[in-house]
């Protein structure tokens, strides 16, 4: 594989210039040693010539543009008179001179409408205006600062493996992004002035800056240096920055119609991924790392239909299903096992699904597996019934966990009476279900995580919310508090729920949930006709 971090046009071994000795070559340049790129003037001139002219036709405005503008307007109303700095984030090195695929911070993507890998190191700056004089009658004018790819007449075109078009392909130009998103754009070279101009202590006429922190170290350094130079209290500023992160997270609690459609797209692709996994189970059974076969089958569908995985797939067979975040996926898949598959496709818009099914790998549940599975399904149904407009988010968990406690009590597994177990002083049942039943879902698999407790856990279920319902029971092989027949069984059932004015809608209902329906679905996939 060629490098993705070549950054200079220094003479190299194999070029026409005299090679430098290792003692003379800077450490930072040594990744270039294997490139052997010519450095002659003839090469440079030829590389910069005879390229077809790019089209000057601009794209039509994206469907997301008006929705992103409304989101910026909502943030503008919350922070009048303050400069808001929202970075996309930089590229991140995976190993030596290769980068991970870029994904922007969700707060940035939500406010701009940009997904995929268009804008590493970009920064959205919302500049305060007189009240009501900003974009769409708001209190700010928004500008996107980013690094446009160099022209084909520039050495960077072919010499810079991180940003050169020859290496990474074309990206949208400033004019194209402006047309696509109806958002003012300018070059990243102007960012420093835009961020620091007139900044300072508000009490003496300075302008307050709020930064979406810990996203881009360069943006953090730029804002912090400005604060130090102008005498702004850094500790107090940290609190202001935290309030911005909180506001951006809370803004995503209620999805607009465009976001809901993206969630449906992500869920549909995820359902297709589960079909691919069932097809791959015979091969998984014959492979020493069958969980990797499962993981790969789902990943292929995620890349075909979406941008990527929404999170690392949990493909947990047998006792591994009792490990809540089992992502090593290095185990065998054995006949008689249950496979707990927790997976989600991230759409190109960066919205992700999050679905779990627990499948009998050979197509039929055993009696004990079916009993445990049914208890978890009953808990999920109780949570769904509790998820009604106007009720508290926490009530979904309470309804589901109560059903599980009742089943555990019926099976004689609880060490105390049920009323004592369910009291705050008890909670013995949580040994086998230690996680929460629900979380918000959207651009992040655990979306809106910085929202205030009173709006999240203690929040009211409201039209436009999207969240999961995912109860489970996990009986580890080494758990001596349960009979042997329970040990090594982990079951979780998770669906993605849209709250409407009329009640909850299961977006992932296309995937069977009833044990008998799961068995029939799997049998149909493996039938000669695949129907």
């Amino acid at each position: 594989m060629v490098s993705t971090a070549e950054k200079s046009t220094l003479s190299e071994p194999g070029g026409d210039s005299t090679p430098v000795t290792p003692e003379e070559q800077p450490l930072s340049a040594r990744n270039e040693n294997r490139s052997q790129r010519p450095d002659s003037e003839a090469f440079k001139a030829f590389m910069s010539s005879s390229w077809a002219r790019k089209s000057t036709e601009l794209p039509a405005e994206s469907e997301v543009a008006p929705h992103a503008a409304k989101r910026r307007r909502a943030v503008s109303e919350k922070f009048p008179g303050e400069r808001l700095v929202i970075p996309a984030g930089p590229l991140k090195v995976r190993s030596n001179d290769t980068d991970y695929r870029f994904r922007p911070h969700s707060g940035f993507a939500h406010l701009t409408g940009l997904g995929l890998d268009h804008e590493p190191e970009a920064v959205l700056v919302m500049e305060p205006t007189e009240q009501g004089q900003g974009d769409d009658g708001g209190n700010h004018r928004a500008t996107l600062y980013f690094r446009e790819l160099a022209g084909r007449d520039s050495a960077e075109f072919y010499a810079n493996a991180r940003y050169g078009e020859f290496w990474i392909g074309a990206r949208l130009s400033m004019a194209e992004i402006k047309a696509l998103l109806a958002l003012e754009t300018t070059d990243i070279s102007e960012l420093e002035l835009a961020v620091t101009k007139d900044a300072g202590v508000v009490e003496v006429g300075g302008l307050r800056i709020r930064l979406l922190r810990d996203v881009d170290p360069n943006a953090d350094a730029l804002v912090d240096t400005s604060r130090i130079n102008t005498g702004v209290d850094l500790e107090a500023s940290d609190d202001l920055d935290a309030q911005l992160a909180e506001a951006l997270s809370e803004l995503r609690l209620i999805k607009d119609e465009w976001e809901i459609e993206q969630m449906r797209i992500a869920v549909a692709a995820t359902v297709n991924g589960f079909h691919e996994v069932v097809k791959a189970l015979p091969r998984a059974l014959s492979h020493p790392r069958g969980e990797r076969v499962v993981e790969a089958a789902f990943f292929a569908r995620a890349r075909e239909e979406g941008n990527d995985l929404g999170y690392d797939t949990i493909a947990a067979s047998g006792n591994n299903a009792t490990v809540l975040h089992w992502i090593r996926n290095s185990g065998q898949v054995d006949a008689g096992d249950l496979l707990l598959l927790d997976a989600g496709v991230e759409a190109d818009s960066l919205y992700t699904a999050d679905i779990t099914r627990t499948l009998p790998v050979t197509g039929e549940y055993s009696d004990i597996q079916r009993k445990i599975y049914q208890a978890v399904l009953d808990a999920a149904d109780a949570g769904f019934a509790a998820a009604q407009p106007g009720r508290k988010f926490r009530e979904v968990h309470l309804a589901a966990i109560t059903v599980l406690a009742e089943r555990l009590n019926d099976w004689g597994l609880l060490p105390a009476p049920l009323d004592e177990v369910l009291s705050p002083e008890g909670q013995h049942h949580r040994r086998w279900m230690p996680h929460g039943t629900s979380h918000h879902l959207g651009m992040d698999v655990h979306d809106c995580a910085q929202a205030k407790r009173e709006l999240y856990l203690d929040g009211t279920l409201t039209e436009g919310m999207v969240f999961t319902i995912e109860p489970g029971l996990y009986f580890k092989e080494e758990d001596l508090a349960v009979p042997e027949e329970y040990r090594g069984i982990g079951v979780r059932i998770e669906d993605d729920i849209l709250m409407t004015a009329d009640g909850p809608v299961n977006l992932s209902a296309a995937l069977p949930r009833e044990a008998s329906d799961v068995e029939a679905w799997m049998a149909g996939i493996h039938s000669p006709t695949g129907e």
Side-chain angles (χ1 to χ4, degrees), residues 79 82-89 105 122-126 191 195 208-227 234 236-248:
F79 301 108
E82 300 180 348
R83 180 175 294 143
L84 310 179
V85 180
I86 300 104
H105 188 277
V123 180
L124 178 69
V125 177
M126 296 180 63
L191 177 66
V195 170
R208 175 178 291 153
I209 302 174
R210 289 187 193 256
L211 168 69
L212 184 60
R213 220 173 166 77
D214 298 326
V215 176
D216 186 336
N218 291 326
D220 289 359
L222 177 61
V223 172
D224 285 346
T225 299
S226 173
R227 287 168 170 167
L234 292 183
S237 295
D238 285 345
D239 291 338
L240 297 175
D241 293 344
Q243 291 168 15
L244 175 60
E246 177 185 271
L248 296 184

Side-chain angles (χ1 to χ4, degrees), residues 392-503:
K392 297 296 184 183
F393 185 77
R394 64 166 59 250
E395 293 183 58
V396 176
H397 172 75
L398 180 61
I401 201 72
T402 298
V403 169
L404 293 180
E406 290 169 349
R407 296 298 183 277
L408 292 166
N409 183 63
D410 293 343
W411 301 339
L413 301 184
L414 297 178
L418 182 61
D419 57 350
E420 180 182 334
V421 165
L422 288 171
S423 70
E425 296 74 27
Q427 300 295 300
H428 309 74
H429 58 304
R430 299 301 298 278
R431 175 188 179 105
W432 301 292
M433 166 58 179
H435 60 79
T437 302
S438 297
H439 60 77
H440 282 270
L441 184 63
M443 278 194 163
D444 294 338
V445 64
H446 297 153
D447 208 23
C448 315
Q450 284 76 46
K452 290 188 289 290
R453 182 185 183 93
E454 57 263 33
L455 295 180
Y456 196 125
L457 187 59
D458 294 327
T460 300
L461 294 175
T462 305
E463 181 179 3
M465 286 183 171
V466 179
F467 52 90
T468 66
I469 296 178
E470 52 174 316
L473 284 173
Y474 313 93
F475 301 108
K476 295 183 178 294
E477 282 182 348
E478 61 273 23
D479 188 351
L480 303 183
V482 298
E484 186 174 356
E485 64 176 348
Y486 289 81
R487 296 175 197 165
I489 296 178
V491 174
R492 181 162 66 250
I493 302 170
E494 178 180 21
D495 286 290
D496 299 344
I497 309 301
L498 167 66
M499 182 55 60
T500 74
D502 298 322

Side-chain angles (χ1 to χ4, degrees), residues 201-280:
V201 178
V202 174
E203 288 74 13
V204 294
L207 185 66
R208 175 178 291 153
I209 302 174
R210 289 187 193 256
L211 168 69
L212 184 60
R213 220 173 166 77
D214 298 326
V215 176
D216 186 336
N218 291 326
D220 289 359
L222 177 61
V223 172
D224 285 346
T225 299
S226 173
R227 287 168 170 167
I228 291 169
N229 290 342
T230 56
V232 173
D233 186 314
L234 292 183
E235 186 173 343
S237 295
D238 285 345
D239 291 338
L240 297 175
D241 293 344
Q243 291 168 15
L244 175 60
E246 177 185 271
L248 296 184
S249 200
E250 292 172 355
L251 185 62
R252 301 202 301 274
L253 283 167
I254 307 296
K255 271 59 178 179
D256 57 42
E257 60 185 16
W258 186 86
E259 292 177 283
I260 291 169
E261 179 58 26
Q262 296 307 305
M263 293 299 307
R264 293 185 187 278
I265 290 170
V267 167
T270 301
V271 170
N272 290 338
F274 274 71
H275 279 259
E276 295 301 319
V277 165
V278 174
K279 290 180 186 177

